[in-house]
């Protein structure tokens, strides 16, 4: 088995499920730290700041600093800087998204905008969706943090950002540029934090359609762990296979 | 030109645009009344009651009684009665939808439901969409008043019910049964009000994709008037043609 100089690690389904730690995930991070192997946590969750995501990990006894977390919000804010410069962003989203935009020097606006950016917003309103649709129909570039259709809560699966985005998509007839996994935008940003070559890095996650596809599209080796969304039985039906698979991250030798 | 014993008449784009009457539409209704030809107004707008829709017409000097109006809300409420009997309906919608359900003897609920029904709701919230998604994922039958993607307001086009429905559709992976035009459910209900045979009736409207398609699917002759959404230039690209077309309803001899 080949070794890697750096790791990109998914959070939900890989490090924890909801508020419950996945022990083998926790042990992998400790092993990486002991071996001095750099790693970055990569999450599509746009609602939290990197510091909040790191804090959640630390509460589960998984060491993490905010500089080790790439969220879809942070990746979106940096993408906007690179493509549009300092921007006025019509923003639908929660605290983590507003915070990332501010930290990157953008302003959020309800008026004239350079970019429309949508992330999950559990305070969504018709007025927010209507204004976003009007901006997008007028030709303002349309971005979305991630395309996750549904997210798990205690009672079951509820609408994710991809579901909310579909309102503006349907009303405007325009599809956004997505930032999060499986798109490579977030992967490139995470890779930049590691300062390593693609072939030196391994992407680890539990979800074939987001984590593994993100690795494949970004040309980064992947390890699929069967601790979350994707089961081993689904894998034979996938056209492109992960480089490695395991039932538990305890099996993985770094 | 053949004559018809009854008429089904679209509202927005045919009788008026926003709050402005379309004179030739108004004159057609007066001519129908003078000739004693029965007619029913058929609208996908679920937010108003039949009485409110009739009142709007009367304010524009178009004679109308509530018994002459078929809304997608009323058609939905009757469809539920026929298919599920008296039901507990998890309802997303405005006044017109709640009122139609109540009048048909259904109850609206936030708890256990027999049916999920979505109409336009400009007080939409994440919680409403999440609960609807959970109900639909549990297998509760899923209905929607209409699939209109966008609706016109002064500033442009904003999300219609079809856009809001896409949230629950995306999150649940299930497509609703639509009631409004171009589906034939609303047409059958409107036809029942006329008490005439399909071949005796003409459907009049300005929108090929809703009004004319509704007539074609319900096997009712159609008259497309170029006073609203569909222009004459678009028509050659359509596979199935309306029975008749006109630039103004003044040209139409009843």
């Amino acid at each position: 088995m080949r070794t890697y100089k750096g790791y990109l690690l998914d959070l939900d389904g890989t490090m924890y499920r909801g508020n419950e730690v996945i022990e083998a995930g926790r042990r992998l991070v400790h092993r990486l730290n002991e071996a001095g192997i750099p790693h970055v946590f990569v999450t599509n969750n746009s609602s939290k700041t990197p510091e909040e995501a790191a804090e959640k990990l630390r509460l589960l006894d998984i060491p993490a600093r905010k500089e080790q977390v790439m969220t879809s919000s942070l990746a979106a804010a940096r993408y906007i800087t690179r493509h549009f410069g300092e921007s006025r962003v019509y923003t639908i989203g929660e605290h983590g998204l507003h915070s990332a935009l501010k930290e990157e020097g953008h302003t959020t606006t309800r008026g004239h905008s350079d970019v429309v950016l949508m992330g999950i917003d559990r305070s969504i309103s018709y007025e927010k969706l209507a204004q976003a649709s009007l901006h997008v129909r007028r030709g303002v570039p349309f971005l979305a943090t991630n395309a996750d259709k549904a997210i798990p809560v205690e009672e079951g699966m509820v609408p994710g950002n991809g579901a909310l985005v579909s309102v503006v998509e349907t009303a405007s007839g325009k599809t956004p540029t997505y930032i999060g996994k499986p798109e490579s935008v977030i992967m490139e940003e995470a890779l930049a934090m590691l300062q390593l070559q693609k072939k030196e890095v391994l992407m680890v996650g539990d979800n074939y359609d987001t984590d593994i596809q993100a690795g494949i599209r970004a040309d980064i080796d992947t390890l699929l762990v069967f601790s979350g969304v994707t089961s081993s039985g689904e894998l034979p039906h996938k056209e492109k296979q992960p480089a490695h698979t395991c039932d538990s991250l305890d099996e993985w030798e770094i």
Side-chain angles (χ1 to χ4, degrees), chain A:
Chain A
M1 200 70 85
R2 55 169 297 198
T3 59
Y4 296 90
K5 289 189 183 168
Y7 279 70
L8 300 176
L9 303 167
D10 171 54
L11 291 181
D12 211 348
T14 304
M15 291 295 137
Y16 50 73
R17 291 184 203 93
N19 288 316
E20 190 190 339
V21 72
I22 296 174
E23 288 294 342
R26 186 180 64 76
R27 283 190 287 264
L28 173 65
V29 177
H30 282 273
R31 287 193 284 143
L32 289 171
N33 279 329
E34 282 154 24
I37 297 173
H39 49 278
V40 166
F41 301 96
V42 185
T43 176
N44 273 2
N45 185 341
S46 70
S47 68
K48 288 184 179 161
T49 64
E51 173 54 22
E52 287 161 353
E55 196 185 350
K56 171 165 181 174
L57 288 166
R58 292 194 300 267
L59 286 171
L60 298 172
D61 188 28
I62 299 172
R65 290 170 291 109
K66 69 175 180 183
E67 296 78 11
Q68 287 179 299
V69 179
M70 177 52 64
T71 68
S72 60
S73 287
L74 181 54
R78 292 190 179 167
Y79 179 93
I80 291 171
T81 304
R82 234 189 333 279
H83 285 75
F84 308 102
E86 238 175 61
S87 297
R88 291 161 298 180
V89 185
Y90 184 89
T91 311
I92 292 181
E94 297 185 5
H95 163 64
L97 189 55
H98 288 274
S99 165
L101 288 168
K102 195 176 166 192
E103 293 224 343
E104 287 294 306
H106 305 298
T107 50
T108 56
T109 177
R110 288 280 167 259
H112 186 86
S113 66
D114 308 306
V115 179
V116 170
L117 174 58
M118 277 189 79
I120 184 89
D121 181 354
R122 280 157 286 202
S123 301
I124 195 72
S125 69
Y126 185 81
E127 182 58 23
K128 288 182 189 176
L129 293 164
Q131 285 300 325
S133 301
L134 289 167
H135 285 237
V136 169
R137 284 181 77 107
R138 279 199 289 266
V140 177
F142 182 21
L143 307 179
T145 56
N146 61 309
D148 297 59
K149 292 178 177 176
I151 50 179
V153 295
E154 216 167 285
E155 308 99 292
M157 300 295 285
V158 294
N161 190 45
L164 298 184
V165 164
S166 69
V167 176
V168 178
E169 209 172 342
T170 304
S172 70
K174 294 189 186 170
T175 302
T177 299
Y178 287 104
I179 300 298
K181 299 175 283 185
E183 303 303 324
S184 40
V185 178
I186 193 171
M187 301 298 281
E188 300 289 344
E189 292 295 345
L191 207 63
M193 290 169 102
L194 282 179
Q195 297 188 308
L196 289 169
Q197 301 297 306
K198 288 183 173 189
K199 60 173 190 277
E200 301 171 319
V201 172
L202 183 68
M203 170 74 203
V204 182
D206 69 297
N207 187 326
Y208 180 87
D209 293 329
T210 54
D211 304 318
I212 304 307
Q213 277 287 346
I216 290 169
R217 291 193 196 180
D219 208 21
I220 292 170
D221 271 5
T222 53
L223 167 60
L224 175 60
V225 55
F226 300 121
S227 56
V229 169
T230 306
S231 66
S232 58
E234 295 170 55
L235 209 49
H237 308 291
K238 305 293 186 185
E239 191 196 329
K240 293 187 179 174
Q241 294 290 310
H244 317 279
T245 64
C246 62
D247 288 319
S248 157
L249 290 173
D250 284 339
E251 298 165 22
W252 181 254
E253 288 177 32
I254 61 175

